[in-house]
Amino acid sequence: MRPLSLNMQYFGPFIDEKVDFRHLSKSQLFLICGKTGSGKTMIFDAMVYALFGKTSTESREEVDLRSHFADPKLPTKVQFEFEIKGDEYLITRTVKYIKEGNKNPSNATVEVYKKIDDKWNLETKSINTSNDYLKQLLHMNVKQFRQILILPQGEFKQFLVSNSTDKRSILRTLFDSDRFEELQDQLELEMKKELALIESHYQKISQYMNDMHDFENEQLIDIKTIEGHRYEVILNSLDLYEKVGHENLEVSMVEKGKQEQQVNEIEKILKQDKALNETFDTLLEKQEILDELKKDESKINDLRKQLKYLKTVQNMTYQYNQLRDKEHSLNNEVKQEEEIQQSIESNTTNLNEITERIEQLNRNSERINEFRQFVQNTNHIKLSLNKYIEAETKFPNIIEEQKNLNKLIDKDKHEIETLKSKLESTHYDESEEQDKIKEQETLKLNLQELQTKQKQYSEKLELLDKQKEYTSQLTHLEKEKTQFEVKLNEKSQFDILNVEDEILKIQKHVHQGDDCPICGSIIESINGNVDFKSLKKEREQQLEVERNLHAINNEITSYNERLNITNEQLNKLENITDTQTEINHTTEHIDKLVNELQIYRETKQQIQRFKNDKYDVEKKITNNELQLNNIKHLISKYENDLSYFKQETGFDTVNKFEKQSDFYAIEIKAYDNELNQLTVQLEKFNEEKQNLQMKIATVSERKSMIGEQIKLATDYLNTEMTKHNIASYEQLDELLQQVKHIDEYEEKINQYDKRYIEVKAIVKELSKKVQDKERADTSETESKLTEAKEALTVIVKQMNQLQLKIDQNKQKIIAIRQVVEKIENDLQDQEELIELSRIMNGKNSQKLSLENYVLIYYLNHILDNANRHFLKMTNNRYQLVRKKEKSQGLSGLEMEVFDRFSNRTRHITSLSGGETFQASLSLAIGLSNVVQQEAGAIHLESMFIDEGFGTLDSETLETALDTLVNIQMSGRLVGIISHVSELKTRIPTILNVNKNGFLSTTSFNEN
């Protein structure tokens, strides 16, 4: 950060003061001097307040910054312009104060600007946002700013004596070491994740072991209590789980085999007893069925006799059915003959009616032929009817449109004649306009030259005023110089302070009556009581006159330089005269030309408008004439169409023709449709008549044939009925109805015979099986079987549960081995990461974290750089060293002083005031140099020191000044506040803070 300008309004003793640090472009080292209370420290306060809203020291409050003589209506304001990395920034900040007439204080305000393309661009204006913005820009807070860039009065040793925590905060900001802490945190987080992952694996192993089945084995129960991190012991014991499980399973399988054998034996006995009892039950059942069959034997024999008789009668069934069918067919033929006869009569009636209607239509055919001839002759008109309708409809309108177009064309032709007259009467000369434009451009160039000369003339008048002022000042200063020279001559007859020792020596070596060694006269008396105090006072007055004379000579030299520069500038402007009259005349001439050119432009625009209007009207006439030609063509076409229509149709209008033509077409269509329908119907009825005649002949033939068949069937049945003693057809019908059940009777008899034989054979067989045997009692055997099966079920269930436990243990064993393999892989992969994280987070022999190690590295560089200056200032006695003690945390950043005289280290606070200032100054210089070398986040381009030089002796002061001179030669700006007079002669540039009553002003002076 490098200051450029500082403007203070009602700030401390400054009412409206601007300090322009750009005067320091040639000199990087400057001294701020002034009387006590003049406001030297207030300049540092103003810069710090602009940046942070705080003062340069913790002891001064914000309310102390407002001037007691401020206008009650105006705020206390600081405007600070500075540069960082080539970018310029401007801060405007006000101090909280109570405005006149208000009870509550007005809030402080702040605005931050950045220069972009030579323009100030507002970045932020809220206090919190602006403070954050500036902290981020400067990469430090107010406390760090005080310790690094400003060594405030009474606080310059804070960074020197600060603890590790405060130093760490400052150094990490300066060297942007946050990234190392982030790396530490990231590695530690990764380590914790990996350790947590491995711990989760241990927990999984413990959980799997807890879920393992121990089969109530004491050894396995003990193994389950082993923790997951002892996975190697657990791995060695997993085979024991499988061994114990399979041993228990083999015992259960043996028990299951014995129980299954017992169940099979009981089931075999029970099966034999049940089979015997089933045989007894079946025998009893079949015997009962056989008895029932014997009871139905007489009925079945009667049915056999009836079946035999029905089979003899069965031969007559076909002939009897044929007789009934033929009689039925004969009745149907008689009915059909009657229906055909009725159809013939109806057909004859229809034929007569159709023939009569056709004759009526033939009598009307002549009229229809006339209609048909008219339609055929006018068919071509009918096809193009829309054309004639259009001609008839649009013909009157097109005639009217023709009249209107003729009127428009006549009107437009008249308008063209008017525009031609206007164009002929309007005058415009383009060459005259171009001459005027050239004349205007020439006058503008002349005006620019005259204005430049007039500006130079104004500068000449200002220089003449300065010349008079400088001459007047020089005259006044020459008078003052003469007065001071007279006084100096009066007081410089002898230098009593320089000859005081010589007088005393002469008094010792001369005696009364001797010749004076100085003037040669005889010494009449020797006065031993010379008033040296009065002589010293006179010498002080003489020195004051010399200082005033020196100041006046400096001012005379300054004014002579200014006057010479002014005279040189006036010589350059000697021939420059007042050109205002010429400027006014030229301006009037230009304005006149502007008005004339405006008239030319308006005339040119008017001519162009007339031409455009003439072109538009001509174009309109052309379009209307084209449209008129089209209309004439349409009129001729419509007239020809209407004439041809009347000639072909004989009608005056299209509507009448269309109605008549439609009527004829309808009549023709109705006639043709009816005639066609009647013709079709006539053909249909004639065909129907022929079909009916053929049908009635066919029916008569079938009637005759069926009668012969009925007679043959009747003769056969009468012979058979006599043979079988059947008296009537009714009796024959009853017998024939029973014949239908012959198959049923035969099936019934066959089923009975088959059933009887089967049952009789089964009874005989079963009787042999149970001969000499009794029924068995199965209840006791069934009870034994139930008990044996229940015992087997229990054994099987236990064995299944045991198998399930073995399978589950097997899955858990596989899972445990997989987790162990993963643990070993993870431990192998992450061992280096975990070790690196521990080392970087301070768990190492040095007990230093990575960030602390880096900061110690930078601090060592700072101390090395600082000691080059500190040793020089202290005549190689002292040097700053870092404490070497190891401790966990933020250790390693405390500093001590090594005293080469005692060859021991001392605490920082044991240094004297002057030594502490030397150490603080050296440390600040070393810090600035290292930061610049390392190109950290902060650019330390400035350093400000408030007092501390008064504690140094003259030799040490010279050494400190040499150090500061070397710093400013490296391009850094160094500002010093001090009352030490020797500094004024050593530092080339001085910022004087002049106190005038309660107000102060500033000015830069060069030695």
Side-chain angles (χ1 to χ4, degrees):
M1 190 276 293
R2 184 183 183 90
L4 299 177
S5 69
L6 178 67
N7 194 355
M8 298 169 286
Q9 178 179 310
Y10 299 123
F11 196 90
F14 303 107
I15 299 301
D16 188 8
E17 190 66 22
K18 181 176 182 181
V19 180
D20 192 352
F21 294 100
R22 295 180 179 87
H23 285 297
L24 304 172
S25 59
K26 296 182 180 179
S27 176
Q28 304 291 336
L29 178 64
F30 71 100
L31 174 68
I32 303 175
C33 66
K35 295 180 179 180
T36 301
S38 61
K40 301 184 293 297
T41 304
M42 273 291 176
I43 295 174
F44 289 172
D45 284 334
M47 288 191 287
V48 177
Y49 184 76
L51 292 170
F52 300 102
K54 302 288 183 181
T55 61
S56 63
T57 61
E58 293 183 354
S59 59
R60 187 178 288 116
E61 299 294 332
E62 181 183 349
V63 294
D64 299 330
L65 301 178
R66 183 167 172 81
S67 172
H68 295 290
F69 304 97
D71 188 333
K73 296 180 181 179
L74 296 177
T76 295
K77 182 168 66 175
V78 179
Q79 287 183 315
F80 183 39
E81 186 178 348
F82 58 95
E83 180 183 9
I84 292 181
K85 299 180 183 179
D87 293 326
E88 294 185 16
Y89 298 87
L90 172 65
I91 306 172
T92 301
R93 193 186 290 265
T94 63
V95 179
K96 183 189 296 185
Y97 76 105
I98 299 177
K99 191 182 289 186
E100 183 180 20
N102 294 344
K103 293 182 180 180
N104 298 321
S106 61
N107 294 325
T109 63
V110 62
E111 294 176 351
V112 181
Y113 298 86
K114 182 178 181 181
K115 183 171 282 189
I116 301 174
D117 297 332
D118 293 329
K119 294 182 180 179
W120 289 114
N121 182 55
L122 180 63
E123 296 291 302
T124 175
K125 61 188 299 184
S126 71
I127 291 180
N128 292 333
T129 307
S130 298
N131 290 341
D132 293 339
Y133 179 86
L134 291 168
K135 284 180 184 178
Q136 186 176 3
L137 180 66
L138 297 168
H139 291 280
M140 64 181 79
N141 56 32
V142 65
K143 186 176 180 181
Q144 296 165 343
F145 189 86
R146 289 169 180 162
Q147 294 176 339
I148 299 171
L149 267 76
I150 290 184
L151 299 181
Q153 191 173 17
E155 299 179 18
F156 57 83
K157 65 178 182 179
Q158 280 193 0
F159 181 69
L160 179 69
V161 300
S162 60
N163 57 30
S164 282
T165 302
D166 292 339
K167 282 192 181 71
R168 178 175 182 267
S169 176
I170 295 170
L171 293 174
R172 75 187 307 195
T173 302
L174 289 172
F175 299 106
D176 193 21
S177 66
D178 292 349
R179 61 189 187 277
F180 299 107
E181 186 180 33
E182 291 174 2
L183 180 59
Q184 291 171 206
D185 295 341
Q186 185 177 356
L187 279 172
E188 186 173 9
L189 180 62
E190 291 295 328
M191 181 191 73
K192 287 180 179 179
K193 286 181 180 178
E194 293 301 327
L195 291 177
L197 180 61
I198 293 172
E199 184 60 32
S200 68
H201 293 333
Y202 291 154
Q203 291 176 2
K204 280 185 181 179
I205 292 174
S206 298
Q207 184 62 43
Y208 288 147
M209 288 300 299
N210 190 50
D211 294 340
M212 292 278 281
H213 300 287
D214 52 32
F215 308 112
E216 298 180 358
N217 184 289
E218 292 182 0
Q219 188 177 358
L220 295 183
I221 292 171
D222 293 338
I223 293 172
K224 286 177 67 175
T225 60
I226 298 174
E227 296 294 335
H229 63 273
R230 297 177 60 198
Y231 60 86
E232 293 177 348
V233 178
I234 292 172
L235 277 178
N236 294 330
S237 64
L238 292 178
D239 293 338
L240 185 59
Y241 277 89
E242 293 183 348
K243 180 180 178 183
V244 173
H246 285 101
E247 287 176 354
N248 291 342
L249 183 61
E250 289 175 0
V251 172
S252 296
M253 290 178 69
V254 171
E255 292 179 357
K256 178 189 172 187
K258 292 179 180 179
Q259 193 63 34
E260 285 178 343
Q261 184 178 0
Q262 183 181 357
V263 169
N264 291 335
E265 291 175 354
I266 295 172
E267 284 181 340
K268 185 176 180 181
I269 294 170
L270 182 61
K271 186 177 180 182
Q272 292 173 355
D273 291 344
K274 284 185 176 181
L276 179 61
N277 290 341
E278 286 177 0
T279 302
F280 276 105
D281 292 338
T282 305
L283 177 60
L284 181 61
E285 180 185 349
K286 297 300 181 181
Q287 188 62 51
E288 291 175 354
I289 294 172
L290 184 59
D291 293 341
E292 290 294 328
L293 289 172
K294 287 179 179 180
K295 291 179 182 179
D296 295 335
E297 187 174 3
S298 59
K299 292 180 181 178
I300 294 300
N301 290 332
D302 293 338
L303 187 60
R304 292 182 202 276
K305 293 177 182 179
Q306 186 179 1
L307 179 61
K308 185 178 180 182
Y309 177 72
L310 288 174
K311 285 185 176 180
T312 57
V313 177
Q314 186 179 14
N315 296 329
M316 298 171 61
T317 304
Y318 176 74
Q319 291 298 331
Y320 183 74
N321 290 335
Q322 284 291 318
L323 177 61
R324 290 288 181 255
D325 290 341
K326 297 303 180 184
E327 289 176 347
H328 180 69
S329 298
L330 182 61
N331 291 332
N332 290 337
E333 294 296 335
V334 172
K335 289 179 181 179
Q336 187 177 3
E337 185 178 22
E338 292 174 354
E339 290 173 357
I340 293 171
Q341 195 62 43
Q342 291 176 358
S343 297
I344 290 172
E345 293 175 356
S346 174
N347 178 266
T348 303
T349 302
N350 290 332
L351 280 172
N352 293 335
E353 290 176 356
I354 290 170
T355 303
E356 184 178 355
R357 179 58 184 158
I358 289 173
E359 290 176 356
Q360 290 177 358
L361 288 174
N362 289 333
R363 287 194 294 272
N364 198 28
S365 61
E366 184 177 352
R367 175 172 167 270
I368 295 301
N369 288 334
E370 292 177 358
F371 291 170
R372 200 184 306 277
Q373 185 64 37
F374 177 82
V375 169
Q376 291 175 352
N377 293 337
T378 59
N379 186 49
H380 63 288
I381 300 295
K382 187 76 171 179
L383 292 174
S384 303
L385 193 62
N386 289 333
K387 178 175 71 173
Y388 301 110
I389 293 173
E390 179 185 355
E392 186 179 47
T393 304
K394 293 185 177 180
F395 184 74
N397 296 333
I398 208 72
I399 294 295
E400 184 65 27
E401 190 174 351
Q402 183 184 30
K403 293 178 181 178
N404 294 333
L405 277 175
N406 285 326
K407 291 179 181 179
L408 286 174
I409 290 170
D410 293 340
K411 181 181 177 183
D412 291 340
K413 286 181 178 178
H414 180 265
E415 187 175 353
I416 282 192
E417 293 299 326
T418 304
L419 290 171
K420 285 181 179 178
S421 300
K422 289 180 179 180
L423 283 170
E424 291 172 358
S425 62
T426 304
H427 174 71
Y428 168 72
D429 189 342
E430 186 174 1
S431 61
E432 291 181 2
E433 182 185 14
Q434 294 299 323
D435 292 340
K436 296 288 184 184
I437 291 172
K438 291 178 181 178
E439 184 180 0
Q440 182 189 28
E441 294 299 325
T442 303
L443 288 172
K444 283 182 178 180
L445 292 174
N446 293 336
L447 180 61
Q448 289 178 357
E449 293 178 359
L450 291 171
Q451 287 174 339
T452 302
K453 289 181 179 180
Q454 185 62 27
K455 185 177 179 181
Q456 292 175 340
Y457 180 73
S458 299
E459 293 175 357
K460 179 179 179 181
L461 293 178
E462 291 178 1
L463 291 171
L464 287 171
D465 292 338
K466 287 183 180 180
Q467 186 184 44
K468 291 177 182 178
E469 181 186 352
Y470 295 158
T471 304
S472 174
Q473 289 289 343
L474 283 170
T475 303
H476 176 70
L477 290 171
E478 289 291 344
K479 289 179 181 180
E480 288 187 357
K481 178 181 177 182
T482 303
Q483 293 173 0
F484 282 117
E485 285 176 345
V486 170
K487 290 181 181 180
L488 187 62
N489 290 329
E490 292 175 355
K491 295 184 178 293
S492 62
Q493 293 177 359
F494 62 91
D495 190 348
I496 189 60
L497 293 178
N498 291 334
V499 300
E500 180 180 354
D501 293 336
E502 297 297 328
I503 291 173
L504 293 175
K505 290 179 181 178
I506 292 171
Q507 283 181 343
K508 289 180 180 179
H509 292 88
V510 297
H511 301 88
Q512 190 173 357
D514 294 340
D515 292 336
C516 178
I518 298 172
C519 63
S521 61
I522 298 173
I523 300 171
E524 296 178 355
S525 63
I526 297 174
N527 188 1
N529 297 321
V530 179
D531 189 0
F532 286 108
K533 289 185 178 179
S534 299
L535 292 175
K536 286 181 179 180
K537 186 175 180 182
E538 290 180 7
R539 178 58 179 165
E540 288 177 358
Q541 291 176 354
Q542 180 185 349
L543 291 174
E544 180 66 26
V545 172
E546 288 177 354
R547 282 195 294 270
N548 291 335
L549 184 60
H550 179 70
I552 288 173
N553 284 329
N554 288 339
E555 288 189 33
I556 290 172
T557 302
S558 175
Y559 276 109
N560 280 326
E561 289 178 359
R562 296 179 189 176
L563 185 61
N564 290 334
I565 293 170
T566 303
N567 290 333
E568 288 176 3
Q569 292 175 341
L570 283 171
N571 290 333
K572 293 178 182 179
L573 301 175
E574 183 179 3
N575 298 325
I576 301 300
T577 58
D578 188 1
T579 60
Q580 188 60 46
T581 304
E582 295 180 31
I583 289 172
N584 295 337
H585 177 71
T586 305
T587 303
E588 290 175 1
H589 197 176
I590 290 172
D591 292 340
K592 182 179 178 182
L593 285 174
V594 168
N595 294 331
E596 291 177 357
L597 287 171
Q598 181 64 28
I599 293 171
Y600 276 111
R601 281 194 292 272
E602 290 175 355
T603 304
K604 185 177 180 180
Q605 291 172 357
Q606 188 177 24
I607 290 172
Q608 188 61 41
R609 283 198 300 272
F610 288 154
K611 289 181 178 180
N612 292 339
D613 293 343
K614 180 174 174 291
Y615 173 77
D616 292 339
V617 174
E618 289 174 346
K619 185 177 179 181
K620 187 177 177 184
I621 290 173
T622 301
N623 292 334
N624 288 337
E625 287 177 345
L626 290 173
Q627 190 174 357
L628 185 62
N629 290 333
N630 293 334
I631 288 172
K632 288 179 179 178
H633 174 71
L634 285 174
I635 289 172
S636 174
K637 178 178 177 296
Y638 290 158
E639 286 177 343
N640 293 333
D641 289 343
L642 291 174
S643 175
Y644 180 74
F645 174 78
K646 291 177 182 178
Q647 180 182 345
E648 290 295 315
T649 63
F651 286 91
D652 294 333
T653 64
V654 176
N655 188 31
K656 290 180 181 179
F657 163 74
E658 190 174 12
K659 287 181 179 179
Q660 191 64 44
S661 177
D662 291 343
F663 173 74
Y664 288 165
I666 291 169
E667 288 291 319
I668 293 168
K669 185 176 180 181
Y671 174 82
D672 290 341
N673 288 339
E674 186 176 3
L675 183 60
N676 291 334
Q677 289 176 2
L678 291 173
T679 304
V680 170
Q681 289 177 1
L682 181 62
E683 293 176 354
K684 178 184 175 183
F685 285 128
N686 284 328
E687 186 178 353
E688 184 181 352
K689 180 179 179 181
Q690 293 176 1
N691 292 334
L692 289 173
Q693 288 175 351
M694 291 173 63
K695 283 182 180 180
I696 199 165
T698 302
V699 169
S700 298
E701 290 178 1
R702 285 202 300 270
K703 279 172 64 180
S704 174
M705 184 177 63
I706 291 170
E708 293 177 357
Q709 291 173 351
I710 289 173
K711 183 176 181 300
L712 292 173
T714 302
D715 293 341
Y716 173 77
L717 286 174
N718 288 335
T719 303
E720 290 296 318
M721 286 171 66
T722 303
K723 183 179 177 182
H724 291 89
N725 296 321
I726 299 172
S728 64
Y729 283 109
E730 288 78 9
Q731 185 180 356
L732 180 60
D733 285 334
E734 291 177 2
L735 289 172
L736 293 177
Q737 288 297 326
Q738 293 180 15
V739 167
K740 294 178 180 178
H741 298 289
I742 286 176
D743 294 336
E744 181 183 346
Y745 294 158
E746 284 182 342
E747 180 65 24
K748 190 173 182 180
I749 292 169
N750 291 333
Q751 289 290 334
Y752 175 81
D753 292 342
K754 182 179 179 182
R755 181 69 171 158
Y756 184 83
I757 293 168
E758 287 177 356
V759 172
K760 187 175 180 180
I762 289 171
V763 169
K764 185 177 179 181
E765 181 67 27
L766 292 176
S767 297
K768 290 180 180 178
K769 286 184 179 181
V770 299
Q771 189 176 2
D772 300 330
K773 293 181 181 180
E774 295 181 356
R775 295 179 67 91
D777 184 6
T778 61
S779 58
E780 183 178 355
T781 306
E782 288 176 347
S783 177
K784 289 180 181 179
L785 181 62
T786 301
E787 292 175 358
K789 284 185 175 180
E790 289 177 353
L792 179 61
T793 301
V794 170
I795 293 172
V796 170
K797 184 177 180 181
Q798 291 175 350
M799 195 175 76
N800 289 338
Q801 291 176 349
L802 184 59
Q803 183 64 51
L804 178 62
K805 290 179 180 179
I806 292 171
D807 293 340
Q808 289 176 345
N809 278 1
K810 187 175 181 180
Q811 293 175 358
K812 296 293 187 299
I813 289 170
I814 293 172
I816 289 170
R817 285 175 175 158
Q818 289 175 347
V819 172
V820 169
E821 184 180 358
K822 202 166 187 181
I823 289 173
E824 291 176 347
N825 291 336
D826 289 346
L827 284 174
Q828 186 178 358
D829 292 341
Q830 304 304 328
E831 185 175 358
E832 292 181 357
L833 173 66
I834 293 170
E835 183 63 20
L836 179 62
S837 176
R838 292 179 187 275
I839 291 172
M840 291 179 67
N841 281 280
K843 297 175 182 179
N844 50 63
S845 59
Q846 298 296 321
K847 295 183 179 180
L848 290 176
S849 66
L850 175 62
E851 185 184 16
N852 249 33
Y853 178 81
V854 172
L855 294 180
I856 288 172
Y857 164 81
Y858 286 124
L859 182 59
N860 287 335
H861 276 276
I862 292 168
L863 294 179
D864 291 342
N865 203 299
N867 284 328
R868 286 199 292 272
H869 306 292
F870 193 34
L871 285 168
K872 185 177 181 181
M873 290 183 193
T874 60
N875 293 321
N876 291 319
R877 178 178 181 181
Y878 295 123
Q879 69 181 89
L880 299 171
V881 295
R882 186 178 58 82
K883 280 187 178 181
K884 301 295 184 180
E885 288 85 352
K886 300 177 185 177
S887 64
Q888 196 70 28
L890 303 177
S891 64
L893 299 180
E894 292 89 354
M895 288 185 292
E896 295 177 318
V897 177
F898 179 74
D899 189 345
R900 291 189 175 186
F901 288 3
S902 64
N903 200 30
R904 295 174 61 183
T905 58
R906 292 163 48 185
H907 197 273
I908 288 291
T909 56
S910 66
L911 294 174
S912 67
E915 291 169 342
T916 302
F917 174 75
Q918 290 173 325
S920 299
L921 180 60
S922 300
L923 188 61
I925 295 169
L927 180 64
S928 177
N929 289 338
V930 173
V931 170
Q932 294 294 93
Q933 291 169 8
E934 297 294 335
I938 300 176
H939 285 249
L940 304 179
E941 300 178 70
S942 306
M943 178 184 293
F944 304 100
I945 304 170
D946 191 354
E947 290 300 346
F949 291 94
T951 60
L952 306 179
D953 56 40
S954 59
E955 183 180 354
T956 308
L957 178 62
E958 286 294 325
T959 305
L961 283 175
D962 289 340
T963 302
L964 293 176
V965 169
N966 291 332
I967 293 174
Q968 65 94 21
M969 289 176 66
S970 66
R972 266 171 284 176
L973 181 69
V974 180
I976 301 171
I977 293 178
S978 180
H979 291 93
V980 178
S981 60
E982 287 86 343
L983 294 177
K984 296 181 182 179
T985 60
R986 289 293 311 275
I987 297 176
T989 304
I990 299 175
L991 176 61
N992 288 306
V993 182
N994 305 310
K995 187 175 182 181
N996 182 14
F998 58 85
L999 301 179
S1000 295
T1001 58
T1002 63
S1003 62
F1004 276 104
N1005 288 331
E1006 301 288 338
N1007 282 334

